[in-house]
């Protein structure tokens, strides 16, 4: 029409209306609030991409010792063990952070037997620890690694060997981590596949799997075998959450679609994990999944709100029915709407389905489990 004043007013209104504030806030505001909600539940987040990847998960793989169990095993029949063998094993064990090594080291310290010196000490993840004394090689760990020949298969479990010959075998017991039953139930109720990948002996893994109600499990897995299992699941289209704590879990934690570790995990395990939960209960896993799944829904809602705002407001602004002041108010309100929608993310813990066929949580977690390295 030649009315420059009106034309410039409409142009300014259109520029204000199309400011992508709501669109740019859609994801980060939800991630910030989700990280806060997780922190309120004792779960630390390494980066925002972990929140997005956790929302895509459709399978969960648990390590056993230190993850499904408390990671504080107790040495059985310590009084019947040969003091020399126990002293050698405890002196080797002090150089390892494996839960079974710590149990051995604690018994050795109580009896004053853990002061033997070794040279060339090396820990092999998933296998055990070795050291030399006067040219003699001592190994503490899996029987099939520590011992030579067919005797290893017959021995099984955790052993101390001298130049490949068995000196002593060690048996341990552990208890389930609090919240184990409920966590597995909640994950299955959410439609996730749950399994155990562990380096422990097959019978010990089978016992734990039966106690928590997991049908798919594998024992005696080296770190590489855990990674290969995750690769098989990924090739089948699965997005796997790996939950582990030990040195031998670090490669699997790094290889998984997303990973989680307890605060008691080895340093390398915590560094490899995308999430770290700070309390003892395993309900952190379904709680984190519930929070990020809701966050994913809110992100999609925020995108829809931002697109709907532009789809409605832009044609009205182009037609000249919106002044710059009204455009500024509308643009601000769209941003506020996105933020308010993100604040709907709940902080409460996820609900647990009832489980009538199993013992109560307190009774179940206090019952010992057999375990081995």
């Amino acid at each position: 029409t030649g009315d420059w004043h009106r034309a410039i007013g409409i142009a300014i209104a259109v520029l204000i209306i199309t400011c992508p504030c709501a669109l740019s806030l859609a994801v980060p505001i939800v991630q910030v609030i989700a990280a806060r909600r997780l922190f309120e539940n004792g779960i630390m987040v390494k980066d925002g991409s972990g929140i997005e990847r956790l929302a895509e998960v459709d399978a969960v793989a648990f390590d056993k010792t230190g993850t499904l169990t408390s990671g504080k095993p107790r040495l059985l029949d310590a009084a019947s063990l040969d003091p020399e063998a126990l002293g050698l094993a405890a002196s080797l064990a002090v150089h390892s952070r494996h839960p079974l090594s710590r149990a051995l080291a604690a018994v050795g310290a109580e009896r004053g037997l853990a002061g033997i010196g070794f040279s060339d000490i090396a820990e092999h993840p998933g296998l055990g620890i070795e050291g030399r004394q006067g040219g003699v090689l001592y190994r503490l760990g899996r029987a099939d690694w520590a011992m030579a020949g067919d005797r290893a298969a017959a021995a099984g479990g955790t052993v101390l060997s001298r130049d490949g010959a068995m000196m002593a075998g060690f048996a341990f017991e552990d208890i389930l981590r609090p919240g184990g039953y409920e966590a597995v139930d909640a994950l299955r109720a959410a439609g996730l596949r749950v399994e155990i990948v562990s380096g422990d002996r097959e019978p010990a893994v089978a016992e734990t799997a039966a106690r928590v109600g997991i049908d798919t499990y594998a024992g005696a897995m080296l770190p590489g075998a855990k990674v290969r299992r995750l690769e098989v699941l990924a090739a089948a289209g699965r997005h796997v959450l790996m939950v582990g704590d030990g040195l031998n879990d670090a490669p699997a934690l790094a290889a998984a679609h997303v990973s989680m570790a307890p605060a008691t995990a080895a340093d390398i395990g915590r560094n490899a994990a995308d999430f770290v939960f700070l309390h003892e209960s395993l309900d952190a896993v379904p709680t984190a999944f519930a929070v990020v799944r809701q966050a994913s829904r809110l992100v999609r809602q925020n995108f829809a709100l931002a697109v709907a705002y532009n789809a409605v407001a832009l044609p009205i602004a182009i037609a000249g029915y919106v002044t710059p002041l009204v455009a500024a108010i509308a643009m601000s309100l769209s941003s506020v709407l996105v933020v308010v929608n993100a604040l709907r993310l709940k902080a409460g813990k996820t609900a647990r389905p009832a489980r009538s066929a199993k013992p109560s949580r307190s009774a179940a977690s206090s019952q010992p489990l057999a375990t081995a390295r």
Side-chain angles (χ1 to χ4, degrees), residues 275-316:
F275 298 84
V276 175
F277 58 93
L278 307 179
H279 50 76
E280 285 294 317
S281 178
L282 205 60
D283 67 2
V285 180
T287 296
F289 181 72
V291 169
V292 301
R293 179 165 279 190
Q294 185 187 7
S296 179
R297 288 195 297 268
L298 291 176
V299 165
R300 292 193 294 270
Q301 291 173 11
N302 279 352
F303 274 126
L305 289 170
V307 171
Y309 154 75
N310 281 282
V312 172
L314 186 56
I316 298 175

Side-chain angles (χ1 to χ4, degrees), residues 3-283:
D3 187 346
W4 284 99
H5 182 272
R6 176 173 170 77
I8 291 172
I10 293 174
I12 292 173
V14 170
L15 285 173
I16 295 173
I17 285 288
T18 56
C19 179
C21 292
L23 198 62
S24 61
L25 282 171
V27 175
I29 189 64
V30 175
Q31 289 189 344
V32 168
I33 294 173
R36 171 61 184 268
R37 297 297 187 248
L38 291 171
F39 180 75
E40 289 170 354
N41 282 283
I43 305 165
M44 304 293 292
V45 184
K46 180 178 290 186
D47 59 59
S49 66
I51 294 176
E52 296 182 16
R53 285 182 277 115
L54 183 56
E56 300 169 350
V57 160
D58 56 11
V60 182
F62 284 102
D63 175 48
K64 175 185 165 288
T65 304
T67 305
L68 280 174
T69 64
S70 67
K72 299 175 182 177
R74 183 176 69 88
L75 180 63
L76 297 175
D77 301 325
S80 63
L81 293 171
D82 176 43
E84 179 188 3
L86 181 58
L88 288 165
S91 299
L92 269 177
V94 296
H95 300 283
S96 171
R97 291 200 58 187
H98 191 280
L100 301 185
S101 294
R102 288 195 294 237
L104 269 172
V107 173
E110 289 174 3
R111 301 188 177 190
L113 301 174
I116 302 173
F118 289 91
S119 61
D120 301 327
I121 294 173
E123 186 168 11
H124 303 270
L127 297 174
I129 188 168
E130 65 181 9
R132 292 186 178 274
Q133 186 189 53
V136 178
L137 177 65
Y138 292 90
R139 282 182 168 178
L140 174 67
R142 290 169 55 131
D144 56 0
W145 171 76
M147 298 171 59
D150 297 335
R151 292 171 298 173
T158 300
V159 303
L160 173 70
S161 69
R162 176 194 288 136
D163 286 335
M166 179 176 174
M167 288 189 66
F170 305 97
F172 303 84
E173 67 176 13
D174 203 350
I175 59 174
L176 288 176
R177 183 182 285 270
Y181 289 140
E182 296 86 347
V184 172
D185 278 344
L187 292 170
R188 277 206 300 255
L192 276 63
R193 172 195 176 105
V194 183
E195 64 179 75
I196 300 176
V197 290
S198 175
D200 287 348
R201 295 180 302 119
E202 193 79 20
V205 178
E207 181 185 358
T208 301
R211 292 277 292 276
V212 296
I214 296 177
D215 298 325
T216 306
Y217 58 88
M221 299 184 77
L222 297 177
K226 294 184 180 183
V227 172
R228 287 192 293 273
R229 176 57 184 166
L230 297 181
E231 291 173 346
V232 168
L233 291 172
R238 295 282 186 177
H239 297 93
V240 184
L241 164 64
M242 176 67 196
V243 187
D245 77 308
L247 181 64
N248 57 336
D249 295 318
L253 291 170
H257 186 68
V258 64
S259 54
M260 184 179 291
T264 53
D267 292 342
I268 189 171
R270 292 197 304 271
N271 290 334
D274 298 295
F275 298 84
V276 175
F277 58 93
L278 307 179
H279 50 76
E280 285 294 317
S281 178
L282 205 60
D283 67 2

